[in-house]
Amino acid sequence: MPSAADVDIVARGCARLLWRDGPPPKLAEAQQRAVDEAWQRGVAELGAALYEAPILTYCGHDTTGDLTTLYGVYQPYRYYYAQCQLGIMGRPVDPIGVSGLTVFSEGGSRAMAIGRRGVTVAQYPGCWECVPSGGVDDSYALADGTVDFAAMLRHEFVEEVCLPVARIERVTPFAVIYDRLARTYDICCELRVATTGAELTAAMRRSDEYSEVLLVTEERLEDGLQQWGDELIPLSRAILELYRETTGLA
């Protein structure tokens, strides 16, 4: 079962993301053959759901004051897929993602949206998580070497929450967290959203990402953290606990 020990708090505070192109991992011939065969089996099984898109993978970070800079290299997705399937890679392929915490005002207090993952997903099936989230593809890589992860998170919000992007008032990074099980680095952000609980619940019923949605107020957050137990993925638990600390809810 997932636990708090499955995540590391890499940094607190603001974050930025820099990218560069890089060659695929250098593997021995037998390892490369195993990667390619795993990919071919995956494509045969999953079809169009599995496609070869470049993903941003972690290659380092540094922190100065309140700002953490992550450095990433775009790599073919098949290497991460093979790592998950086979557990064999020369150098670990750890994707960089962005995880949001959707926050809105309800009855004079703050409230947050939590979604239940589908039972068919590969990681943490049926568990609760903060929304929205996703990987960083190369469409958000800018010519100046930065990655517009806030734009990516806005896109995920529209897809997963099913509300217009104009409802997002601001995106504020507040932590970088490493998930040991998924082997991902996530930039964690607060999304302040202009909506109501009723509207958000109705919108998320149209989402293909989640089977259920919960709205929890700041007064009920501590009770929720205890109630969800192992059904809350470790990354989301860390996000919610850090959010409590940084906003004075703890």
Side-chain angles (χ1 to χ4, degrees):
M1 296 296 290
S3 71
D6 295 327
V7 299
D8 291 328
I9 310 301
V10 177
R12 293 170 169 81
C14 297
R16 67 170 180 162
L17 186 51
L18 304 181
W19 73 277
R20 62 179 175 85
D21 285 320
K26 293 182 178 180
L27 302 178
E29 183 177 347
Q31 282 186 315
Q32 184 63 56
R33 184 167 57 252
V35 167
D36 294 339
E37 290 173 352
W39 180 255
Q40 291 164 8
R41 288 194 299 270
V43 170
E45 178 182 351
L46 301 174
L50 192 63
Y51 55 94
E52 186 80 287
I55 60 170
L56 191 63
T57 63
Y58 173 86
C59 63
H61 75 276
D62 57 55
T63 301
T64 303
D66 190 46
L67 176 64
T68 296
T69 301
L70 277 78
Y71 304 94
V73 176
Y74 280 102
Q75 301 280 9
Y77 180 71
R78 72 173 58 204
Y79 290 95
Y80 178 63
Y81 180 80
Q83 176 176 270
C84 294
Q85 296 295 310
L86 307 174
I88 57 165
M89 290 298 297
R91 174 180 175 181
V93 179
D94 296 339
I96 298 174
V98 186
S99 288
L101 177 61
T102 295
V103 180
F104 60 99
S105 296
E106 185 84 336
S109 65
R110 285 171 289 186
M112 288 138 274
I114 310 295
R116 187 186 287 278
R117 296 166 63 87
V119 295
T120 60
V121 298
Q123 294 167 337
Y124 305 122
C127 289
W128 295 99
E129 69 174 357
C130 301
V131 297
S133 63
V136 184
D137 65 46
D138 59 353
S139 65
Y140 299 98
L142 305 181
D144 65 357
T146 62
V147 178
D148 192 351
F149 60 83
M152 171 262 157
L153 199 54
R154 292 185 181 98
H155 175 80
E156 294 293 329
F157 173 85
V158 173
E159 286 201 343
E160 296 182 11
V161 180
C162 301
L163 286 175
V165 69
R167 296 299 181 88
I168 301 175
E169 297 175 329
R170 65 177 183 268
V171 178
T172 307
F174 62 88
V176 177
I177 298 177
Y178 180 64
D179 184 324
R180 292 174 178 268
L181 294 184
R183 300 192 69 161
T184 57
Y185 287 84
D186 275 80
I187 299 175
C188 306
C189 304
E190 176 196 22
L191 277 74
R192 290 305 297 258
V193 177
T195 188
T196 65
E199 180 185 54
L200 192 149
T201 300
M204 286 192 66
R205 289 197 183 107
R206 303 192 298 271
S207 174
D208 295 329
E209 298 286 335
Y210 301 104
S211 59
E212 298 179 60
V213 59
L214 286 179
L215 306 179
V216 56
T217 62
E218 56 187 337
E219 294 85 2
R220 299 290 298 171
L221 179 56
E222 184 173 357
D223 292 339
L225 288 169
Q226 295 179 4
Q227 176 184 343
W228 297 321
D230 291 338
E231 288 194 316
L232 181 65
I233 72 170
L235 174 61
S236 290
R237 179 173 295 278
I239 288 173
L240 290 166
E241 290 177 347
L242 281 175
Y243 186 75
R244 290 173 66 213
E245 293 177 15
T246 57
T247 60
L249 298 183

